Every structure is written in C-alpha cells, then in structure tokens.
Amino acid sequence: MSTITIKAFAEQIGIEADRLVKQLGDAGIDGKSVDDSLRDEEKRQLLEHLRGGAKAAAPSAAPAGRGKITLKKKTTSEIKQTSRTGIARTVHVQTKKRRTFVKREVLEAQEAERQELEKQRQIEEARLQQEREAEEAAAQQAAEQAAAEAELAAAESPAESEQEAEVAEAEATEQEADTSDVQPEVEEAPVAASRREVEMPSIIRKASDRKPSSPIIRQAEPLPEIAAADPKAAKGKGKRKPFAGREELHVAKGRKKRKERRRPSNIKSSVSDQHAFERPVAPVVRDVQIPETISVGDLAAQMSVKSSEVVKALFNMGTMVTINQTLDQDTAMLVVEEMGHNATEAKQDDPEAFISQSQEIEVDESEWQPRCPVVTVMGHVDHGKTSLLDYIRKSKVTAGEAGGITQHIGAYQVETSNGEITFLDTPGHEAFSAMRARGAQATDLIILVVAADDGVKPQTVEAIKHAKNAGVTVIVAINKMDKESADPERVKQELATEEVIPEDWGGDVMMVPVSAETGQGVEELLEAVAMQAELLELKARPDGNASGLVVEARLDKGRGAVCTILVQHGQLHNGDIVLVGRETGRVRAMSDHAGAAIKVAGPSTPVEIQGLSGVPAAGDEVLVVDDERKAREAAEFRQHKDREARLARQQAAKLENMFAQMGDGETKNVNVLIKGDVQGSIEALTESLMKLSTDDVKVSVVHGMVGAINESDINLAMASSAVVIGFNVRADAQARKLAEQEDVQIRYYSIIYEVIDDVKAAMEGLLDPEIREDVLGYVEVREVFKAPKIGTIAGCFVTEGLVRRNAEVRVLREGVVIFEGKIDSLRRFKDDVSEVKSGTECGIGVTNYNDIKVDDQLEIFEKVEVKVTL
C-alpha cells in the first residue's frame, strides 16, 4: 500500500498544500499537516468528498432570495364554442407564465468551482490508473517467472512438472486475485470459472490461505532444487519416492491425468465477471393471482411452466382441456395447488369501485334544503286511483289507458295550495306487482286507495305489504263515497285485520273519505299529505351531481331510448353524462311531466330524458358521472355480469328441463316472444306468463324487448317455434311479410289479462286429453250357446243400464275381473241390434273369448276423452 506526503501530493495534482489540508479536514480527515503522509484510503475518502461536493455546489452557489428573481404572470381569455345541438357556451382559459432571472456572477462562480473540482477528479483518477497498471505489470512478470520455473521442472521430470505447473498456475491465479483485490474504485465481483476448473481437485491455494483439514493438499512448501530420480526404482514398482526435502503431493482419486499442460494466461475472458447459471436446488413456489376466469395458457405463464404441464395436471384430475380453454376460478386454484404453488383470488378490477368513489361526497346535511314529497298512489284495480289523481291534476289520464286500467307508472308533479307534490301512479292489476314494489321503494308517502263499496282486495293487501317492507308512511283514501253502497266502517274493520289501524280507533294511520267524481275530501287528503311531509322533514342535496331512480323506460321510434326518471338528489342538466343500470349516455334532451323542454331538474322532479345507449330496466339507479370513459367501462362491466348470469340461468334451465324430460317423459312447451312499448309492461307480462307453467306444459319467454316487431324477431321466433306477442306495438312491413311466408303467428294486445287468457288457452290445447271410463250397464249370463262358425254366445239379461254394440266389456266371475275386451255381436232373438236396454234379454258375443260360463257378470263401459283445463 503506497503512501505519499501531503505536500508532494499537492504538487502532483497542482494545488496549494494548505488548501489540500483544508479539503482533507472538510472530508473528515482531521489532524493532518503538510509534512504528514497520506494513505490510499484517505485519498479515496477525499475523492468521494470532492465528488459529492461537485453535485451540491450548484444549488448552494446562489443564495436564496438574492441570486435570482422569479416573475409570475397570469392572463385570462375567453373562447366561444357551439355544440352540435346549436347551444353556444363560453370557455374561460387561464394562462400562467413564470420566468426566473439569475445573476451572472453567481453562474460564473458556479461554473469555475465545477471546473476546478472536475480537474482535481481527473488528476486523481489518472494517478490511480498509473498505480493499477504498475501493479498489473508486476503481477504479469511474477506469473511469467513461475511459468519458466514450471517448464524447467517439466524438462527433468514429466510427472512432477505437471504437478509443479499446476502449482505455479494456481499461485499465479491467486496472485492475480490478490492484485485485483487492491484495485481502487473497482467493485469486487465473483469470478465464474468454467465447470471443468471448478471441479479440478488439484488447484493449490497460497500458503497463507491453506486450511490444515483440506482433503486435497496436506502440506505444500516452496519447491527446492530437483534431484535426479532413480529410473530403475521407478520402473520396478511403478511408484516414485518423494524427492529429498519435499513432502508428497496427494491428489484426489479418480482424477484423470491432464493430456495437455495449461499455460498461465493473463488474458481475462469477457464472461469472467458474470455469474454462471446455476440450477435451482429447490422447487420455486410462486404466488399466483387467479381471476374469476383464466385460460390454460395464461395460468401456465403465471406459474412459469409449460402449458402441456397444466394440461397434463388437469388430465390427471379427470378434465380434458386445450391450451385456449377457459377455466373457472375454483378449478384454476385446484390446479395451482396441485402443482405446488400458492393460489390466491385476484382482486376484481371492478369499474364500479371508481364510480362509487367518485360519488362519495362529504355529506353536510346542514346545507340540505327542503324538497317536495314524492307520493305513490296504490290500491286494487278499479278502485279509482287514477281517477283520484285526475281530479287533483285536473286532467283525464284514465281515458288514455287501454281497457281503462293503468299499465304504466305515471310520474307527475302537481302544484297544489299546499305546495308542489310529485305523484307516482302505479297499476293495480295483479300482474304489476314488480311495478308497485318499485313505486314503494322510490316514494316518501303512500296513498292507499280503497273503494268504500268494495273493501279490501288482494292487491290492497299486497300494497300494504310493499309499504311495510319499504317503511313508508301510509295515508288511506276511502274512495267512492258518493255511492249509496259506500260503507267506510267496513273498510276500516277490514284494514284493521291487516294491522292498519285508523287514528280514530287509536292507531297512527290517517284515513280520509274522498270521492274522485265529486271532489269530496280531496283538499283534506292534500292537507294530510302536506302535514305528513312536514313531519318527515324531507330534505335533499340541492346541488352537485344528480342521482335518482328509473321510473319507466321505452324505445321511441323517432327519439330512441326514452327514460322517465325521478331525481332524488343534486341537479340534472342537459349534457350530463349519466350511468343508468347497464346503459350509459349523455342527456341530449330533457322534458317535464307535461312534455315541456327543461334544462335543469332538481330533487323530487320527474323528468323524461333522451340520449341513452339502450333501454334500461325500470328501477335502475341513475348516476351522473364526470368521466365518460369510466362510465362506459362500468356499463360494459354490468352488461358482462348480466350476460354471464343470464347464460348461467339458461344453462340451469336446460339441465332442469333435460332431467325433467328424462324422468317424466316429453314436456310440452309454449314459447312466446314479447315486444312491448315500455319495460315495465314486458316485465309484468313475463312474470305473469311464467306463473302459468305447470308440470305438463311449460311457458318459455324466448325474448322480451322494448320496441316494434322487426325482421330479426320473426327469425328468432322461427328458430324457437315461438308465438310473437306485440303489446301496444306493431310489426313493420318486412316483419309482416316474413311472418306470412314462414307462417309465424303474430298477436297484438293492449290489455294484459287478454294475453294471459290466450296463452292459457294455447297451453290447454297442448295438453293430452284425459281418458275417462263411463259405465253403461251390467249384464247377467243365464245361458251359454256354442255356434260352429261364430263361437260362444252368452244368453244374457240386462240387469242395469244398457248394452251397446262395439262397447267395451269386462267379464266378472265371483266379483273378479278375468277378461277385458270388446263386444263383437249383439242380437235380440235373431235380429242384430245396436242397443239393448235394461230388463230385456239379448245374445252377446265377445271378441276372441269363449270361456264364458253361466252366472258370470258382464260390465259394459266405454272410454270417453275429456279435455283437460288448467
């Protein structure tokens, strides 16, 4: 290890000695004077300090607040844009500029300091390089000297020369390794020798590194001068005695002699500084993330194995798959664990998580504002719900509904003397249970309409259950009080049996007698609604992104998907991006309940919007989002999940049908394809028709969609042998033409119970008729005659009923049936007759039966087909 005085080192690198002492003190080397010596470690420490100082010199050169000045400038401009709909809007653009000025003296000082440090670093690196080259030359000279000695020894004794050459080569290698260990600024890396060199047992280490317990070398000393060996001794026993003054070199057994002598080489391989490949000594266990579905190839890639290994593992588990086949999560986890890896369920990349996070707003209810109540009118069919709402709205809605019954949810906002009230009118027919359930979930109050002359009916009880499940306050309107048969007390008693107790009986339910025809009690009913709404303290978030609920949805031929929604929180604007169930889009147009175009809708406001990508399901949640791409991803994710669930249901239904047919024989099916005007009607129709299914006849709804009947619907009906049902919609010209050519039946309806009756009749037509036996009479055998060509003829007396030719007959002997057949001939005296009544005698011949005896009884009957009804 070389040393040099600080003064000489300062002259060598070209700086003052005092300055070098100061820099050594800054580098942490204290107590040095000009005449002191400087070691290599201290030089490296000084060099590292100078390198770190060069990097930190630039920011420390300019004092904060003095060496530079920063100027900031902000400008605002306006850009006017016009959208596709012709609406002009103004965009405010804000531009920010910043410029920084630095003093020239500061920059010059920084550059001078950097150049000085760089110069010192280059001088030091040059000196270190010279030292390394000198050390390498010395090592090379020593290696050459060792090689020359090995060659000299090889000339006198070939066997010993080989060993000595190996010793010299090992010493040269060790010397090179020691030389490389002291090289400065060079990171030590393990040298990977070839496999042949690693396994060689005759490599000899230096004496300083030798271990006494080494199985290869017991003792090795510097070689003395070689004495001549006795050739006769070598020939005689084949073993050579060790030379005088030197111990024997023991080599591991099984080692073949090297054919060629290796000369020590000073040339290093290009791969000598790299790691050699080593085979793992233990199996690698990986953590594999398994999503809901994964292909065999992807699963193999995650485990870093060949796809054939995964296919083999699945084959051993009893499953034959291909590389592109998709596995479910449970199967994939079993395979991973079978192959020795750790399987964990992957976290779903659910786009709805982003939607839910974006909708999380800090709720400060102190800033919420009062809103108008949402009231749902419910009750039994024909009890006057829509008529009562008509009187309040001063309009005629009932006349517009087919059959005089409500088949859609109507959403209206009415201005009354007690403020605005939003009404939802639900159907009362049995088939519209899902609509009533949605109405109960979206409302604040429920007006339960009960006819005073009819009392509580099944749909009334169902509406009460929906209200209780939703936890909504109920106000009972006893309607039709203008009729003579009105009995409000009976209505109260029937409601009390359903745990709806009026206030005058000590309960908490307000009951108001009203008449939708005369207007009696309507004002009192509205006052009751206003009072209950005030007690509920209804409030909503007045601003921010809107959220709400789908009341109804349909497909309009000119406007596309039209959706009626009830805004529950926030403000809905034209142009907002909405996520509605499985559909998404931008609000292109918005109108209120009267059809007037509006631009903004607040809480408790029913509106009709356009611009969705498809028709959503009634009851879906409506959310306004800021990111259109995320909304589209969430909609596609929901569609994918719905498609998978639908396919799973279809597969389960196929299996159930298959097992049912295997067990009970062939099952008749009535396939129907439903096209309707609104989503709610299709939902009600589907539910009602599915309820008609029995063990003998199944009703299958092949497809249900909003919109007119088109050509693709006819093609689907052809493929599935289905009847097309159009509910308040019609087929276009191409669909009608194709239906006539392919004999596909299209039926149009506007009232739901007519659809149910016709499908029920079609189901009854598919049922096999029931075979029933009708007993015609009983006959007593009194004599038996045998005719040569005819056979045995029974002389009988009709005791009960009558006997007909070609009727069925059972032969009874002592009350036991011994034969069942058919009457072949029927005679009275010598005449053939078709019928013989009670109290008369006749002759009867039975087909293919002659064992008739006296006192036998004959039971005469016939089989009748009876039509089966559901």
Side-chain angles (χ1 to χ4, degrees):
M1 189 175 293
S2 62
T3 58
I4 190 173
T5 62
I6 294 177
K7 184 176 182 180
F9 186 61
E11 292 176 355
Q12 186 178 357
I13 62 176
I15 64 172
E16 296 178 358
D18 295 336
R19 184 176 178 183
L20 181 57
V21 172
K22 183 180 179 182
Q23 289 179 353
L24 287 171
D26 295 339
I29 305 171
D30 298 327
K32 293 287 185 179
S33 63
V34 177
D35 297 328
D36 291 340
S37 60
L38 191 64
R39 295 177 298 171
D40 289 342
E41 290 82 358
E42 294 172 344
K43 293 177 185 178
R44 294 193 190 96
Q45 186 175 351
L46 175 62
L47 182 60
E48 293 296 330
H49 170 68
L50 294 177
R51 285 178 177 174
K55 296 179 182 178
S60 64
R66 294 182 182 180
K68 62 180 180 180
I69 299 175
T70 302
L71 300 180
K72 296 181 181 179
K73 185 178 180 181
K74 182 168 66 176
T75 59
T76 304
S77 60
E78 294 183 354
I79 300 175
K80 292 187 177 180
Q81 292 182 344
T82 304
S83 63
R84 290 180 296 176
T85 57
I87 301 175
R89 60 179 183 175
T90 302
V91 179
H92 297 276
V93 180
Q94 191 179 74
T95 306
K96 295 181 179 180
K97 296 181 181 179
R98 185 175 66 180
R99 297 184 65 181
T100 302
F101 299 91
V102 183
K103 289 183 178 181
R104 188 177 302 276
E105 294 82 359
V106 175
L107 294 176
E108 290 176 352
Q110 293 177 358
E111 182 64 22
E113 184 70 18
R114 187 189 64 79
Q115 291 179 359
E116 182 68 22
L117 293 172
E118 182 65 21
K119 181 179 178 181
Q120 294 181 11
R121 185 184 65 80
Q122 291 176 358
I123 293 172
E124 180 65 17
E125 288 182 353
R127 186 192 62 77
L128 293 175
Q129 182 65 23
Q130 291 177 0
E131 292 181 358
R132 282 197 297 269
E133 291 176 355
E135 292 173 354
E136 289 177 1
Q140 184 175 0
Q141 185 178 0
E144 290 175 355
Q145 184 178 358
E149 293 177 358
E151 289 178 0
L152 178 61
E156 297 178 358
S157 177
E160 291 183 3
S161 61
E162 181 179 352
Q163 296 180 357
E164 291 165 5
E166 292 177 355
V167 172
E169 181 184 352
E171 289 179 354
T173 305
E174 293 292 335
Q175 191 170 1
E176 285 188 68
D178 293 343
T179 304
S180 62
D181 289 341
V182 298
Q183 290 179 358
E185 300 298 317
V186 178
E187 183 180 358
E188 294 183 359
V191 179
S194 65
R195 183 177 298 277
R196 187 161 55 86
E197 292 175 349
V198 172
E199 294 177 354
M200 185 184 301
S202 59
I203 292 179
I204 302 175
R205 300 188 182 129
K206 292 177 63 177
S208 60
D209 298 331
R210 199 177 300 126
K211 295 183 180 179
S213 61
S214 173
I216 297 177
I217 304 171
R218 294 182 180 175
Q219 187 175 0
E221 297 178 359
L223 294 175
E225 294 185 0
I226 302 172
D230 187 4
K232 292 182 180 180
K235 281 184 180 180
K237 294 185 179 180
K239 295 183 181 178
R240 185 187 311 147
K241 295 181 180 180
F243 292 102
R246 193 183 66 173
E247 294 293 335
E248 182 180 359
L249 179 67
H250 293 272
V251 182
K253 293 183 180 180
R255 170 67 179 170
K256 293 183 179 181
K257 292 186 177 181
R258 192 181 301 178
K259 293 182 179 180
E260 296 180 0
R261 239 183 5 258
R262 294 189 56 194
R263 291 180 177 272
S265 175
N266 294 327
I267 301 175
K268 290 187 176 182
S269 173
S270 60
V271 296
S272 61
D273 293 330
Q274 299 180 5
H275 287 284
F277 173 77
E278 295 181 2
R279 185 176 180 180
V281 296
V284 180
V285 179
R286 302 182 185 278
D287 294 330
V288 183
Q289 300 286 332
I290 308 296
E292 288 187 355
T293 57
I294 186 172
S295 66
V296 175
D298 294 341
L299 184 62
Q302 289 200 26
M303 292 188 291
S304 298
V305 298
K306 293 182 179 180
S307 301
S308 58
E309 297 293 330
V310 181
V311 174
K312 186 190 298 184
L314 284 166
F315 182 78
N316 293 334
M317 294 170 63
T319 305
M320 298 184 65
V321 297
T322 62
I323 188 174
N324 296 321
Q325 190 163 337
T326 302
L327 304 176
D328 58 78
Q329 192 177 60
D330 295 336
T331 305
M333 293 182 72
L334 287 175
V335 174
V336 171
E337 292 174 356
E338 183 72 18
M339 298 186 71
H341 299 281
N342 299 326
T344 56
E345 294 184 6
K347 186 177 181 182
Q348 293 186 0
D349 186 13
D350 190 353
E352 294 196 34
F354 174 82
I355 299 297
S356 60
Q357 290 176 4
S358 62
Q359 297 300 320
E360 289 180 359
I361 302 174
E362 295 184 2
V363 179
D364 187 5
E365 296 189 2
S366 61
E367 297 180 359
W368 287 15
Q369 296 179 3
R371 61 173 177 86
C372 62
V374 179
V375 181
T376 300
V377 183
M378 305 177 75
H380 193 70
V381 62
D382 290 338
H383 274 203
K385 300 181 296 298
T386 308
S387 300
L388 178 62
L389 191 56
D390 286 348
Y391 187 86
I392 299 174
R393 296 177 57 216
K394 301 295 189 294
S395 63
K396 297 293 181 182
V397 176
T398 306
E401 292 281 1
I405 65 172
T406 301
Q407 304 185 74
H408 310 93
I409 292 183
Y412 318 102
Q413 195 165 33
V414 181
E415 182 70 35
T416 65
S417 58
N418 298 296
E420 287 186 344
I421 300 176
T422 300
F423 285 98
L424 301 180
D425 183 17
T426 63
H429 192 268
E430 179 186 1
F432 296 94
S433 173
M435 285 191 180
R436 286 193 296 275
R438 284 197 300 274
Q441 294 294 333
T443 189
D444 303 315
L445 297 170
I446 291 179
I447 296 179
L448 181 63
V449 179
V450 185
D453 60 339
D454 202 11
V456 175
K457 292 297 179 183
Q459 273 71 59
T460 310
V461 176
E462 184 184 354
I464 294 172
K465 290 181 180 178
H466 286 317
K468 288 182 178 179
N469 292 335
V472 181
T473 304
V474 178
I475 299 175
V476 178
I478 304 176
N479 196 17
K480 301 185 180 181
M481 290 297 296
D482 55 317
K483 289 191 175 183
E484 296 180 358
S485 58
D487 188 359
E489 294 299 323
R490 180 173 71 91
V491 172
K492 292 181 180 180
Q493 291 177 356
E494 293 177 352
L495 288 173
T497 60
E498 300 296 333
E499 298 181 359
V500 180
I501 313 299
E503 285 184 337
D504 50 354
W505 286 18
D508 56 352
V509 179
M510 298 180 66
M511 296 191 180
V512 183
V514 296
S515 173
E517 294 294 329
T518 63
Q520 172 191 347
V522 174
E523 287 298 325
E524 289 81 359
L525 179 64
L526 295 177
E527 289 177 2
V529 170
M531 184 176 68
Q532 288 289 350
E534 187 176 354
L535 292 175
L536 293 175
E537 296 181 354
L538 302 174
K539 292 183 179 182
R541 176 167 47 82
D543 49 11
N545 289 341
S547 62
L549 198 69
V550 176
V551 177
E552 194 56 82
R554 68 181 188 277
L555 187 64
D556 191 273
K557 188 173 183 179
R559 297 186 293 172
V562 179
C563 179
T564 303
I565 67 173
L566 177 67
V567 181
Q568 294 176 322
H569 288 280
Q571 297 278 344
L572 181 63
H573 301 81
N574 264 337
D576 282 349
I577 302 166
V578 291
L579 175 64
V580 186
R582 301 186 299 272
E583 309 297 336
T584 183
R586 190 182 293 271
V587 180
R588 292 192 284 109
M590 185 165 52
S591 57
D592 60 5
H593 67 280
I598 59 176
K599 294 184 178 181
V600 182
S604 300
T605 305
V607 291
E608 195 175 68
I609 64 172
Q610 305 171 32
L612 297 180
S613 57
V615 180
D620 284 346
E621 185 182 10
V622 180
L623 292 174
V624 174
V625 296
D626 298 325
D627 193 334
E628 186 175 4
R629 183 177 63 85
K630 290 292 184 182
R632 195 179 300 111
E633 288 178 0
E636 292 174 356
F637 178 78
R638 293 177 179 179
Q639 290 173 4
H640 177 70
K641 297 290 285 185
D642 181 70
R643 191 181 306 112
E644 287 183 347
R646 185 170 62 252
L647 290 175
R649 288 195 302 268
Q650 291 177 359
Q651 187 68 20
K654 289 178 182 178
L655 290 174
E656 290 174 2
N657 292 339
M658 182 180 68
F659 289 129
Q661 291 175 6
M662 290 171 60
D664 302 334
E666 187 178 358
T667 304
K668 303 293 177 57
N669 286 315
V670 178
N671 297 329
V672 294
L673 189 149
I674 304 174
K675 294 300 287 289
D677 55 342
V678 293
Q679 186 71 29
S681 299
I682 295 173
E683 189 178 313
L685 264 174
T686 303
E687 184 179 354
S688 300
L689 295 179
M690 295 297 286
K691 287 181 180 178
L692 297 177
S693 297
T694 63
D695 294 338
D696 299 324
V697 182
K698 303 283 186 184
V699 177
S700 299
V701 179
V702 176
H703 183 59
M705 185 59 69
V706 174
I709 302 170
N710 51 37
E711 195 172 355
S712 63
D713 297 329
I714 304 300
N715 290 325
L716 180 58
M718 288 165 48
S720 57
S721 302
V723 178
V724 181
I725 294 176
F727 192 78
N728 288 332
V729 295
R730 292 295 182 268
D732 55 24
Q734 294 179 350
R736 289 196 300 269
K737 185 177 180 181
L738 182 61
E740 291 175 2
Q741 291 176 356
E742 303 296 337
D743 196 19
V744 176
Q745 192 175 10
I746 303 177
R747 289 179 173 254
Y748 302 112
Y749 299 93
S750 58
I751 301 175
I752 190 169
Y753 48 75
E754 292 181 358
V755 184
I756 298 172
D757 293 342
D758 286 359
V759 173
K760 191 175 182 180
M763 294 173 62
E764 292 175 350
L766 289 177
L767 291 173
D768 294 329
E770 182 181 350
I771 305 300
R772 191 172 63 191
E773 293 183 0
D774 287 345
V775 178
L776 299 178
Y778 291 93
V779 177
E780 181 181 347
V781 179
R782 294 186 175 180
E783 193 65 45
V784 177
F785 305 96
K786 291 187 178 181
K789 295 182 180 180
I790 299 176
T792 302
I793 303 297
C796 305
F797 181 79
V798 182
T799 59
E800 185 180 345
L802 54 89
V803 180
R804 287 178 184 167
R805 181 185 292 177
N806 298 326
E808 304 285 337
V809 60
R810 290 192 184 94
V811 180
L812 307 177
R813 186 170 293 167
E814 296 180 358
V816 179
V817 178
I818 60 173
F819 180 78
E820 183 175 340
K822 197 173 184 179
I823 296 177
D824 185 24
S825 63
L826 179 64
R827 290 186 179 186
R828 177 162 172 74
F829 300 107
K830 294 184 180 181
D831 299 329
D832 288 334
V833 293
S834 60
E835 184 177 288
V836 177
K837 295 185 178 179
S838 175
T840 57
E841 295 180 346
C842 63
I844 298 175
V846 181
T847 304
N848 298 328
Y849 188 73
N850 296 322
D851 189 22
I852 300 178
K853 296 181 180 180
V854 180
D855 294 334
D856 285 349
Q857 280 190 339
L858 305 181
E859 183 184 44
I860 313 300
F861 66 95
E862 62 181 3
K863 295 180 180 179
V864 182
E865 291 185 354
V866 180
K867 185 178 180 181
V868 180
T869 59
L870 294 175

